[in-house]
Amino acid sequence: ALSPRCGWVLSGLEQRLAGPAAVSPATARPYAAAAAKAAKKDAKRSRQEKAKEGAKEKPLPRRRPLMSKPVDDVYLTWLYRRPSYELEQAVGMLKRFQELDFTHPKQFVYINVFLDMALQKKKKVDLFSSGVALPHRFTDEVNKVLVFTENEQEAEVAREHGAAIVGGLELIKWILEDEIQADFYVAVPGIIPKLIPLRNKLKKKYPSTRRNSLGSDIPRMVQFFRECHEYSVEDESVIKTRIARLDMPTEHIIANLKTIIQDICTFKPSNFDPIVQRLVIRSSTSEGLLLNLDGILPQVEKAEEKEEEDAADEDQQKPAQESIST
């Protein structure tokens, strides 16, 4: 009597079984998100393709050519080429700037030298530093020079001429431990084979004939390095160094500048393009003035012109030799 009748269904269950199967929102959400993401990617891809097609069809904007010389005193600098000045004219302008600005008359004069370090087959000039004796000194600063020698007489000569430190192999340990440091290191030929442990430590300051820091003339080497002006390449291809004081005569400033430029030009073979590409001069408080390189760079005779001259000389000598033989 208590068992359900055959075919009996609970109230409302029949309607639920007869209706269509419903999908829960939690189940449907991942599929909807995936479809929206795919549609977004397709829309983005179509926009990128349209943008590329528009860029190909749109011509590149033409840059307005720079004008050479402004007409007025006030102008937009980015519309004109940077003016270049003759060396004497530029130095005169720096002196005039100092008078107008009421700045210190004995301020330093600097040059920025932009270099072309390229050689053939993707090779480059190695970064270098050098010391040069300026024709007109502009500072009383004296460099600290160390002299390597085991000869007591040579050591005494070095001390008499102003060497700050003189010694032999005992200096190697102190230098490696940074207990002794100097601006320049000079050596005599007899001791140089024993200084090999210092090669990696001193690097470019290691005594060598290329730097004129290896030789037998101790007085000359000590005097040169005590008073020489040192410069080095920075940022791969730029030299920034001071060359004079602004109150010096113009011809002295020019002589110092040309001396440094000539020394820089020796670090690249003459059969390549000049190593100096641009040269800017300035004082401590002035703007930089671009210099015209004509008359500043050393004159190098081209190999082709030299061959032509040699051929012409041979042609002139032949008739003379034939006349003598006849």
Side-chain angles (χ1 to χ4, degrees):
L2 296 176
S3 61
R5 296 178 182 178
C6 182
W8 179 80
V9 181
L10 294 175
S11 176
L13 182 59
E14 185 177 3
Q15 289 82 354
R16 285 193 225 115
L17 294 175
V23 181
S24 66
T27 308
R29 191 178 297 117
Y31 299 100
K37 189 174 181 181
K40 190 176 180 180
K41 284 185 177 180
D42 293 339
K44 184 177 180 181
R45 190 179 299 109
S46 63
R47 287 197 301 268
Q48 291 177 350
E49 292 176 356
K50 290 180 180 179
K52 289 181 180 179
E53 292 176 358
K56 291 179 180 179
E57 295 176 357
K58 186 179 179 180
L60 295 175
R62 295 182 60 185
R63 185 177 179 181
R64 182 177 179 179
L66 298 178
M67 294 178 282
S68 58
K69 188 176 181 181
V71 179
D72 301 323
D73 294 336
V74 181
Y75 58 93
L76 298 174
T77 56
W78 55 272
L79 289 177
Y80 296 87
R81 298 189 186 94
R82 186 176 182 179
S84 61
Y85 304 93
E86 299 297 329
L87 179 54
E88 187 173 356
Q89 178 189 8
V91 175
M93 292 174 66
L94 295 182
K95 291 178 176 289
R96 183 60 177 163
F97 293 159
Q98 180 272 320
E99 295 174 357
L100 295 174
D101 297 337
F102 296 99
T103 53
H104 199 276
K106 292 186 178 182
Q107 58 186 288
F108 288 115
V109 178
Y110 297 83
I111 57 172
N112 294 351
V113 189
F114 299 88
L115 308 177
D116 177 13
M117 308 283 279
L119 295 174
Q120 61 183 359
K121 296 182 180 179
K122 297 183 180 181
K123 294 183 179 180
K124 293 184 177 181
V125 178
D126 295 331
L127 301 183
F128 59 87
S129 61
S130 179
V132 58
L134 298 177
H136 306 284
R137 285 178 54 85
F138 59 91
T139 178
D140 295 331
E141 297 175 1
V142 177
N143 299 316
K144 186 177 180 180
V145 181
L146 183 150
V147 178
F148 289 106
T149 180
E150 294 180 309
N151 187 295
E152 187 57 35
Q153 294 181 351
E154 293 177 341
E156 187 63 27
V157 171
R159 295 188 188 96
E160 291 177 357
H161 286 81
I165 303 172
V166 182
L169 301 182
E170 70 277 4
L171 299 178
I172 296 178
K173 179 181 178 182
W174 296 344
I175 295 174
L176 291 175
E177 296 177 354
D178 293 327
E179 295 184 9
I180 291 180
Q181 294 180 349
D183 297 317
F184 295 97
Y185 299 83
V186 172
V188 295
I191 198 175
I192 196 65
K194 304 176 183 179
L195 301 180
I196 294 178
L198 294 176
R199 184 182 293 275
N200 293 332
K201 179 68 174 180
L202 300 182
K203 296 181 180 179
K204 295 180 181 179
K205 292 187 176 183
Y206 188 78
S208 65
T209 54
R210 175 68 181 84
R211 292 177 54 86
N212 297 319
S213 56
L214 176 62
S216 302
D217 194 346
I218 294 178
R220 181 189 62 80
M221 292 190 297
V222 171
Q223 182 180 1
F224 172 79
F225 286 107
R226 287 183 78 244
E227 300 179 355
C228 76
H229 176 73
E230 187 180 20
Y231 66 87
S232 60
V233 179
E234 305 173 7
D235 301 328
E236 300 296 333
S237 61
V238 181
I239 295 175
K240 301 177 181 179
T241 183
R242 57 187 185 180
I243 61 170
R245 290 189 182 272
L246 196 55
D247 63 331
M248 293 172 59
T250 300
E251 56 271 18
H252 290 184
I253 298 176
I254 293 175
N256 283 358
L257 183 146
K258 288 186 175 181
T259 300
I260 295 176
I261 295 300
Q262 289 177 358
D263 188 71
I264 293 173
C265 291
T266 61
F267 285 90
K268 188 175 182 180
S270 58
N271 56 330
F272 291 94
D273 293 334
I275 189 171
V276 178
Q277 292 296 297
R278 286 192 300 132
L279 179 59
V280 176
I281 188 171
R282 64 176 180 85
S283 66
S284 300
T285 59
S286 75
E287 62 177 294
L289 302 177
L290 182 65
L291 295 178
N292 186 353
L293 295 178
D294 294 339
I296 298 179
L297 300 182
Q299 298 295 327
V300 179
E301 188 178 7
K302 295 182 179 179
E304 296 178 358
E305 296 178 356
K306 188 174 181 180
E307 291 177 359
E308 292 178 358
E309 292 179 0
D310 294 341
D313 293 340
E314 291 179 0
D315 293 340
Q316 292 178 358
Q317 292 175 0
K318 285 181 180 179
Q321 294 176 353
E322 291 176 357
S323 62
I324 292 173
S325 60
T326 53

